[in-house]
Amino acid sequence: MKWNADNKTFYSSTSWRKLRTNKLNNNPICEVCNIKPATEVHHTIPLSSTHGKDNALNYNTLQSICFDCHVAETIFERTGKRAKVKLTQRQLNNFDPPSQASTDHNTADQ
Ligand SMILES: [Zn+2]
């Protein structure tokens, strides 16, 4: 498996796409909030780590997740802070953790 900065090679690989489809079929509801339909598959071991890369195709490390929860999980992995915020995919891609992120405003709950 080749790895580049944004893991594009991995995410476009046939083996990942098959695994992802399997996971979403088996767990169609977000495993974090258990409410929304899962639209994405989350690596519980961050792909930025070597351990994460080694387990990138390990079904047991995957989690079906909705977009909102995926954003929160990604922010948590990058900053260590639990945040419930709504960001666009573009903002998420450009996410640069501020030194003191404000997590006071909870907009994810209905
Ligand atoms: Zn969710």
Side-chain angles (χ1 to χ4, degrees):
M1 180 68 66
K2 282 185 187 172
W3 294 95
N4 57 12
D6 56 5
N7 302 326
K8 256 185 197 153
T9 314
F10 170 74
Y11 284 118
S12 59
S13 68
T14 310
S15 35
W16 164 246
R17 286 199 252 180
K18 275 188 189 167
L19 194 67
R20 181 184 183 282
T21 305
N22 263 345
K23 179 65 183 165
L24 286 175
N25 285 340
N26 292 338
N27 300 91
I29 301 295
C30 173
E31 294 183 71
V32 176
C33 63
N34 288 310
I35 298 170
K36 296 179 197 169
T39 55
E40 314 186 11
V41 173
H42 175 58
H43 284 94
T44 56
I45 306 172
L47 284 184
S48 52
S49 69
T50 307
H51 187 52
K53 287 182 173 64
D54 289 345
N55 285 280
L57 292 172
N58 180 348
Y59 186 87
N60 296 323
T61 69
L62 303 179
Q63 197 173 40
S64 290
I65 198 165
C66 70
F67 178 76
D68 288 344
C69 290
H70 204 184
V71 170
E73 286 298 313
T74 303
I75 290 174
F76 177 68
E77 282 170 8
R78 295 185 192 180
T79 67
K81 294 185 183 207
R82 280 282 168 205
K84 282 192 175 181
V85 294
K86 291 195 180 204
L87 296 176
T88 64
Q89 186 67 49
R90 187 186 182 86
Q91 284 174 313
L92 181 63
N93 289 343
N94 296 329
F95 185 70
D96 189 20
S99 52
Q100 290 193 325
S102 170
T103 57
D104 294 336
H105 299 289
N106 182 342
T107 57
D109 290 337
Q110 305 280 319

